[in-house]
């Protein structure tokens, strides 16, 4: 199969590319950086250097592909995150339609079933809606839960205050996922076309309460008393803005956490719960500890 991968050699796209090339597929990796060309070629893939804002480039790159993995990379220069998601999703829709690709796998998010109150995840909701216009295309929407590596954002707090916390309650259950488990799920969907024209697949690696998460991370960094401290939405937003985050981004992060805490984010996930992946929080905690001690 010829498979096009967006996302350059990011946290998901890199292990995905390695899986696909190891299975002898012809893989083309899109990157906006010429500096990535050599690293991409080392994986056994072909580099396509260009912008996902360029529909003509996407048209040409998608030509002859059996399947395409689509993701919308974070872009913190885009203040209007919802407009950015809609624009890139529309670019993908046009290029898929123009090139005749018959199968796509799109990296969405849990909470994409909701049409408000989910911060930046609302972009995934609208992206799925736009891609649904591709009637003749087999579509799989991968909906991962909270990424383990988001926990790295708490390193500064732990070092400065000796606690970890946000607008989660201690007993809130959080579903976590490792990028390698996502890559595995994406590869499976790309290599075998689903019978249904539109398929939704949730991906998770582990489920822990906020307090359990703090305890496991604490054990890994030799701080066994590390505890999860809940804060109000207002306090978290204030703290984020004091650290220099623009108000809109701070509000979006607070909305995401509040939606997880209330259970809204995970309501459809709970109805369609997947088999958990291989990389548990205890294993990821070793990665966290390495990053913690390097900072």
């Amino acid at each position: 199969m010829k498979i096009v991968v967006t996302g350059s050699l990011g946290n998901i796209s890199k292990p995905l590319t390695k899986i696909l090339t190891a299975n002898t597929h012809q893989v083309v990796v899109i990157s906006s950086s010429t500096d990535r060309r050599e690293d991409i070629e080392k994986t056994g893939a072909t580099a396509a250097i260009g912008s996902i804002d360029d529909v003509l480039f996407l048209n040409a790159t998608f030509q002859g592909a059996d399947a395409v993995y689509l993701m919308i990379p974070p872009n913190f220069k885009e203040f209007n995150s919802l407009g950015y998601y809609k624009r890139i999703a529309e670019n993908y829709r046009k290029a898929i339609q123009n090139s005749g690709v018959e199968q796509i796998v799109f990296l969405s998010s849990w909470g994409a079933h909701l049409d408000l109150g989910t911060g930046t995840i609302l972009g995934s909701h609208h992206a799925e809606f736009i891609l649904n216009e591709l009637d003749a295309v087999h579509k799989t929407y991968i909906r991962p839960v909270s990424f383990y590596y988001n926990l790295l954002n708490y390193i500064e707090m732990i070092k400065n205050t000796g606690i970890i916390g946000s607008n989660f309650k201690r007993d809130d259950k959080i579903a976590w996922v490792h990028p390698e488990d996502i890559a595995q799920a994406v590869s499976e969907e790309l290599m075998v076309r689903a019978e249904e024209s539109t398929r939704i697949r949730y991906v998770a690696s582990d489920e822990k309460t906020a307090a359990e998460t703090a305890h496991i991370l604490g054990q890994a960094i030799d701080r066994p008393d590390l505890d999860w401290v809940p804060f109000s939405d207002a306090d978290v937003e204030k703290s984020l803005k004091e650290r220099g985050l623009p108000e809109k981004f701070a509000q979006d992060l607070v909305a995401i956490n509040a939606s997880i805490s209330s259970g809204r984010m995970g309501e459809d996930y709970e109805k369609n719960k997947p088999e958990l992946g291989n990389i548990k929080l205890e294993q990821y905690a070793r990665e966290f500890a390495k990053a913690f001690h390097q900072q």
Side-chain angles (χ1 to χ4, degrees):
M1 293 176 65
K2 178 181 178 181
I3 300 174
V4 178
V5 172
T6 60
S8 190
L9 292 180
N11 290 309
I12 298 169
S13 296
K14 184 175 182 178
L16 171 62
T17 298
K18 289 181 177 180
I19 293 170
L20 295 175
T21 55
N23 282 273
T24 67
H25 294 290
Q26 179 186 353
V27 182
V28 177
V29 176
I30 290 177
S31 177
S32 62
S33 174
T34 55
D35 294 338
R36 283 292 201 178
R37 183 184 298 276
E38 183 177 353
D39 289 336
I40 290 170
E41 292 175 350
K42 285 180 180 178
T43 68
T46 300
I49 307 301
S51 172
I52 57 176
D53 256 318
D54 184 345
V55 176
L56 293 179
F57 163 74
L58 293 175
N59 287 346
T61 306
F62 291 170
Q63 288 291 331
D66 297 291
V68 177
Y69 165 65
L70 303 172
M71 62 90 64
I72 300 178
N75 187 341
F76 297 107
K77 295 179 181 179
E78 294 274 355
F79 183 75
N80 182 359
S81 62
L82 182 55
Y84 166 68
Y85 267 81
K86 287 181 176 180
R87 185 178 80 243
I88 301 303
E90 184 62 26
N91 289 349
Y92 284 154
R93 184 197 66 78
K94 290 177 181 176
I96 294 295
Q97 195 166 46
N98 294 340
S99 61
V101 171
E102 296 181 351
Q103 181 183 4
I104 64 171
V105 176
F106 173 66
L107 181 68
S108 185
S109 173
W110 71 331
H113 66 293
L114 297 170
D115 61 2
L116 78 163
T118 57
T120 54
I121 289 175
L122 188 58
S124 294
H125 170 83
H126 287 282
E128 287 189 13
F129 184 82
I130 290 168
L131 294 173
N132 277 339
E133 297 178 27
L134 296 165
D135 293 332
V137 176
H138 287 262
K139 301 173 287 292
T140 299
Y141 299 134
I142 296 289
R143 291 182 177 177
V145 293
S146 296
F147 286 68
Y148 281 137
Y149 59 68
N150 289 337
L151 291 164
L152 298 174
N153 295 322
Y154 294 107
I155 289 178
E156 182 180 351
M157 177 187 290
I158 297 170
K159 289 195 170 186
N160 291 340
T161 68
I163 63 170
I164 182 173
S166 187
N167 52 323
F168 296 124
K169 297 183 291 295
R170 295 185 77 257
D171 59 352
D172 283 345
K173 184 179 73 173
I174 308 170
W176 296 108
V177 69
H178 195 283
E180 291 183 11
D181 283 334
I182 301 173
Q184 182 61 45
V186 171
S187 71
E188 292 167 2
E189 297 297 328
L190 286 169
M191 291 188 286
V192 179
R193 182 180 296 180
E195 293 183 5
E196 58 266 50
S197 60
T198 302
R199 168 175 161 80
I200 293 172
R201 177 173 176 176
Y202 286 92
V203 186
S205 302
D206 207 352
E207 295 177 349
K208 300 292 182 185
T209 66
E212 289 169 339
T213 298
H215 177 71
I216 291 169
L217 296 181
Q219 292 285 347
I221 60 174
D222 299 321
R223 298 197 181 196
D225 295 330
L226 185 66
D227 195 16
W228 189 276
V229 178
F231 298 101
S232 69
D233 293 354
D235 284 343
V236 172
E237 182 179 338
K238 179 182 177 183
S239 174
L240 290 171
K241 288 190 291 187
E242 288 175 347
R243 290 166 56 191
L245 204 66
E247 182 175 7
K248 179 64 169 62
F249 291 145
Q251 291 172 345
D252 283 343
L253 286 174
V254 168
I256 291 171
N257 289 351
S259 184
I260 294 172
S261 181
S262 70
R264 290 182 68 245
M265 187 76 77
E267 60 190 10
D268 192 63
Y269 163 81
E270 292 293 336
K271 295 174 185 176
N272 301 280
K273 187 173 291 190
E275 181 179 345
L276 295 179
N278 294 323
I279 303 177
K280 304 308 176 188
L281 182 58
E282 288 84 355
Q283 183 176 344
Y284 171 73
R286 295 196 290 270
E287 295 181 38
F288 181 88
K290 182 178 180 180
F292 182 87
H293 292 302
Q294 287 176 342
Q295 285 194 18

